[in-house]
């Protein structure tokens, strides 16, 4: 569905940024676009997977028509072979904020990666960039030791890692890599934080009813398949990339790739992808509820009602 723009360009100084976080398929991107059109804003992506150029369909990135209706930034800026991070995203976000100030655009951050939103408003631990060879060695150690032994060895050196699940591969490898590269634990680094990029602003979390959200996720995945998701994954598979890369683990990618390799039927892959999406949404909802309690949580069942709920509160307190 295309978005018809009635955008009126003004040159008034923008007020506080608007931040909209929430689970996938909750209508937040369309609401952000509606607000951008009404408020002369720029939509700034705060979703880790939507940064990848290779995954427009499966990450539900805004359509070209939507991008023409209002400025959009930080969508499709990484190649699937790259490893994104919150630090990298913050550097991109800082540049987007500078552009918004120059152009007199209202910054509207939107996305489902809660850690990005928290880092934006609370700052980030100044962990140095970890050398690629150190990360590779950590992955090799994980493969050699297995989850349980890797977790046990790391926990002896970094007691805070004991609280993580042995199956939390990404976080454990990150903690191992930081310790190896810097001689300090990740928890130690996290006691120091940079100044937040956004210290004031309107902060919203979409909190729709879960059963309805699951149904929307299923329906959206079917639309993705009709829009070319199979071809998108086939093109990604043809590159022979490391399956541990973030883009290779995006929702739907592992399951559809398994079907393309003949490891399951296409119907089984679609069912598995929908199940994985629902599990991910459940984790998102829990994370937002526990980590962003001070944000304004809105139970809206579609993007129109969401933007209509947000818009008056911004007008009352710009």
């Amino acid at each position: 569905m295309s978005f018809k723009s009635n955008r009126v360009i003004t040159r008034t100084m923008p007020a506080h940024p608007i931040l909209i976080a929430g689970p996938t398929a909750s209508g937040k991107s369309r609401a952000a676009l509606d607000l951008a059109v009404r408020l002369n804003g720029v939509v700034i992506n705060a979703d880790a997977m939507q940064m990848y150029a290779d995954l427009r369909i499966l990450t539900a990135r805004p359509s070209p028509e939507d991008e023409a209706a209002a400025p959009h930034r930080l969508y499709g800026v990484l190649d699937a072979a790259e490893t994104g991070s919150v630090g990298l995203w913050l550097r991109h976000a800082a540049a987007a904020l500078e552009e918004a100030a120059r152009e007199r655009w209202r910054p509207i951050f939107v996305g489902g990666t809660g850690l990005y939103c928290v880092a934006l408003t609370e700052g980030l631990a100044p962990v140095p960039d970890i050398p690629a060879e150190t990360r590779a060695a950590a992955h090799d150690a994980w493969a050699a030791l297995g989850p349980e032994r890797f977790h046990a060895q790391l926990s002896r050196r970094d007691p805070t890692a004991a609280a993580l699940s042995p199956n939390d591969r990404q976080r454990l490898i990150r903690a191992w890599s930081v310790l190896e590269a810097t001689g300090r634990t990740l928890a130690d680094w996290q006691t120091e934080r940079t100044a937040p990029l956004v210290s004031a602003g309107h902060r919203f979390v979409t909190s729709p009813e879960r059963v309805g959200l699951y149904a929307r996720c299923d329906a959206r995945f079917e639309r993705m398949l009709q829009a070319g998701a199979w071809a998108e994954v086939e093109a990604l598979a043809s590159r022979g990339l490391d399956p541990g890369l973030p883009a290779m683990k995006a929702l739907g990618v592992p399951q559809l790739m398994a079907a393309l390799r003949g490891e399951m039927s296409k119907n089984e892959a679609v069912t598995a992808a929908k199940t994985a999406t629902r599990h991910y949404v459940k984790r998102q909802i829990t994370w937002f509820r526990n980590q962003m309690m001070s944000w304004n949580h809105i139970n809206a069942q579609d993007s129109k009602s969401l933007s209509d709920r947000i818009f008056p509160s911004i007008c009352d307190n710009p």
Side-chain angles (χ1 to χ4, degrees):
M1 181 185 297
S2 62
F3 189 98
K4 183 177 179 181
S5 175
N6 294 313
R7 184 179 176 85
V8 177
I9 303 300
T10 65
R11 287 292 172 182
T12 57
M13 182 62 70
H16 294 315
I18 301 166
L19 290 77
I20 308 173
T24 190
S26 59
K28 57 189 181 296
S29 294
R30 297 290 298 179
L33 176 57
D34 180 63
L35 292 169
V37 170
R38 296 164 80 174
L39 297 169
N40 188 37
V42 53
V43 180
I44 304 174
N45 171 43
D47 185 281
M49 291 298 107
Q50 288 186 335
M51 292 187 73
Y52 289 102
D54 306 71
L55 294 172
R56 176 182 284 276
I57 296 171
L58 273 175
T59 63
R61 273 172 43 202
S63 68
E65 293 79 11
D66 291 343
E67 292 179 341
H72 285 67
R73 296 294 182 266
L74 311 195
Y75 292 93
V77 297
L78 296 181
D79 184 84
E82 298 180 82
T83 299
S85 68
V86 63
L88 177 63
W89 179 81
L90 280 174
R91 291 194 288 274
H92 281 284
L97 283 170
E98 290 175 0
E99 182 189 19
R102 290 195 306 270
E103 298 295 333
R104 307 294 196 269
W105 292 335
R106 184 74 171 264
I108 304 172
F109 289 90
V110 60
T113 304
L115 184 59
Y116 285 9
C117 298
V118 170
L120 183 72
T121 57
E122 298 181 12
L124 179 68
V127 182
D129 289 336
I130 306 303
E133 57 270 22
T134 304
R135 295 197 304 270
H139 282 275
D140 290 344
W142 172 276
L145 295 171
E148 297 292 342
R149 289 174 61 199
F150 186 95
H151 179 260
Q153 286 197 20
L154 176 61
S155 298
R156 284 195 290 270
R157 302 171 61 199
D158 176 3
T160 60
L164 297 173
S165 165
N167 295 317
D168 196 340
R169 178 176 180 267
Q170 184 172 346
R171 289 186 180 181
L172 290 172
I173 288 177
R174 170 67 171 162
W176 182 292
S177 300
V178 169
L179 185 58
E180 286 290 314
T182 70
R184 296 174 61 185
T185 67
L186 186 57
D188 187 25
W189 279 107
Q190 288 172 342
T191 61
E192 308 169 15
R193 285 195 172 270
T194 58
L197 284 179
V198 174
S199 57
H202 301 275
R203 306 176 187 186
F204 304 93
V205 175
T206 62
S207 300
E209 182 269 328
R210 187 176 299 184
V211 174
L213 183 58
Y214 289 166
R216 290 208 298 278
C217 287
D218 287 349
R220 187 173 74 169
F221 196 78
E222 290 293 340
R223 293 195 299 271
M224 289 173 175
L225 296 174
Q226 295 170 12
W230 284 107
E232 187 172 75
V233 171
E234 190 169 12
L236 191 60
S238 70
R239 298 183 59 186
L241 298 175
D242 181 351
L245 287 166
M248 301 293 283
K249 297 185 287 185
L251 290 172
V253 170
Q255 295 81 16
L256 298 193
M257 279 194 174
L260 292 173
R261 292 192 299 266
E263 297 170 3
M264 63 175 70
S265 71
K266 286 191 171 183
N267 285 340
E268 289 171 336
V270 170
T271 298
K274 290 179 178 178
T275 299
T277 300
R278 289 193 292 272
H279 290 167
Y280 176 69
V281 164
K282 183 178 180 180
R283 292 195 301 272
Q284 282 183 302
I285 291 172
T286 300
W287 197 95
F288 289 126
R289 183 175 61 242
N290 294 336
Q291 302 296 326
M292 303 171 79
M293 292 182 290
S294 64
W295 290 44
N296 184 3
H297 290 245
I298 299 178
N299 183 350
Q301 298 307 311
D302 56 67
S303 59
K304 182 65 169 61
S305 59
L306 178 59
S307 62
D308 285 346
R309 291 274 300 278
I310 292 173
F311 186 73
S313 66
I314 294 170
C315 293
D316 291 342
N317 182 25

